[in-house]
């Protein structure tokens, strides 16, 4: 998403990701915090929160940093995290500790393995097709050789896409500013539309602080 793009891109960029790592790195917290927020919000409110934080944070970031581009739903997910901190702090704090570990030690290695397997499959297919094309040319089977060569070109293009896509994904930076804006907008959404629900969240904070104080008072 950039300011000079079509207005529709302010929404569609939330569903476009650089690669598998980026996609599943967003899906895991989206699902986790979505489940937590459904304990306090309706489905419609949750969807509204997602687009409110995602679209506005991207637009504000584009104003602050002209020319910069954004892809992915991380800003919207940050908004969900900010909202969850007010509404369900206990579950949110736990997820904030567990989710990064799950992403870095499970999701990222798994996606890297998928890339590796797919690249190996395409490489084997490429070698087989090269051998086939060479053999068909020797046998003077021109038509069959052209067909096999077309398939070879497709396999080579797929291999290039996998390699270059992986490099692009690794080089694409993550912008902390838009995440902070998203979290702030998520908090603002709750203060603006679900203020009564905040009281329940504050009770959880009070109970947690009270439990900690009791532990230290005993010592």
């Amino acid at each position: 998403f950039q300011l000079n793009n079509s207005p529709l891109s302010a929404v569609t960029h939330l569903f476009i990701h650089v690669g598998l790592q980026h996609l599943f790195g967003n899906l895991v917290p989206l699902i986790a915090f979505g489940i937590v927020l459904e304990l306090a919000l309706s489905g419609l409110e949750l969807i509204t929160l997602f687009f409110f934080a995602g679209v506005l944070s991207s637009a504000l970031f584009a104003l602050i940093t002209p020319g910069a581009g954004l892809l992915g739903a991380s800003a919207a997910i940050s908004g969900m995290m900010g909202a969850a901190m007010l509404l369900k702090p206990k579950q949110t704090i736990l997820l904030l500790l567990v989710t990064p570990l799950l992403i870095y030690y499970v999701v990222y290695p798994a996606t890297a393995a998928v890339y590796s397997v797919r690249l190996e499959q395409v490489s084997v297919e490429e070698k087989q097709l090269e051998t086939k094309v060479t053999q068909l040319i020797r046998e003077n089977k021109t038509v069959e050789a052209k067909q096999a060569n077309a398939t070879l070109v497709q396999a080579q293009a797929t291999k290039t896409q996998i390699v270059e896509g992986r490099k692009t994904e690794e080089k694409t930076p993550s912008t902390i500013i838009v995440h902070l804006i998203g979290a702030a907008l998520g908090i603002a959404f709750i203060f603006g539309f679900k203020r009564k629900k905040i009281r329940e969240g504050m009770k959880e904070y009070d109970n947690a602080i009270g439990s900690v104080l009791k532990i230290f008072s005993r010592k």
Side-chain angles (χ1 to χ4, degrees), residues 124-140:
V124 170
E125 182 184 1
E126 180 186 23
K127 290 178 182 179
Q128 291 174 342
L129 286 168
E130 286 175 346
T131 302
K132 184 177 180 180
V133 170
T134 302
Q135 184 63 32
L136 289 171
I137 291 173
R138 286 176 181 173
E139 296 174 359
N140 201 29

Side-chain angles (χ1 to χ4, degrees), residues 18-161:
V18 181
L20 286 178
Q21 181 175 297
H22 187 205
L23 174 62
F24 284 97
N26 274 342
L27 274 178
V28 170
L30 174 64
I31 294 170
F33 287 96
I35 292 172
V36 168
L37 283 172
E38 282 190 335
L39 299 174
L41 301 176
S42 68
L44 180 59
E45 288 170 338
L46 180 53
I47 293 171
T48 303
L49 166 63
F50 177 87
F51 285 108
F52 176 83
V55 173
L56 284 184
S57 59
S58 299
L60 289 172
F61 178 77
L63 286 172
I64 296 171
T65 56
L70 286 173
L71 284 178
S74 56
I77 295 168
S78 295
M80 292 170 62
M81 292 178 180
M85 281 297 296
L86 290 178
L87 300 177
K88 294 292 177 182
K90 285 184 180 179
Q91 294 93 328
T92 301
I93 292 171
L94 178 62
L95 286 179
L96 288 174
L97 294 173
V98 173
T99 303
L101 297 176
L102 181 62
I103 291 172
Y104 283 103
Y105 292 104
V106 177
V107 173
Y108 285 178
T111 54
V114 171
Y115 278 121
S116 180
V117 170
R118 181 58 181 146
L119 184 59
E120 179 64 24
Q121 289 174 340
V122 175
S123 297
V124 170
E125 182 184 1
E126 180 186 23
K127 290 178 182 179
Q128 291 174 342
L129 286 168
E130 286 175 346
T131 302
K132 184 177 180 180
V133 170
T134 302
Q135 184 63 32
L136 289 171
I137 291 173
R138 286 176 181 173
E139 296 174 359
N140 201 29
K141 296 180 179 179
T142 308
V143 176
E144 292 87 343
K146 286 183 178 179
Q147 292 174 344
N149 189 64
T151 306
L152 172 60
V153 170
Q154 290 178 352
Q156 290 172 336
T158 300
K159 182 178 179 179
T160 301
Q161 287 176 350

Side-chain angles (χ1 to χ4, degrees), residues 82 109 186 203:
K203 288 180 181 178

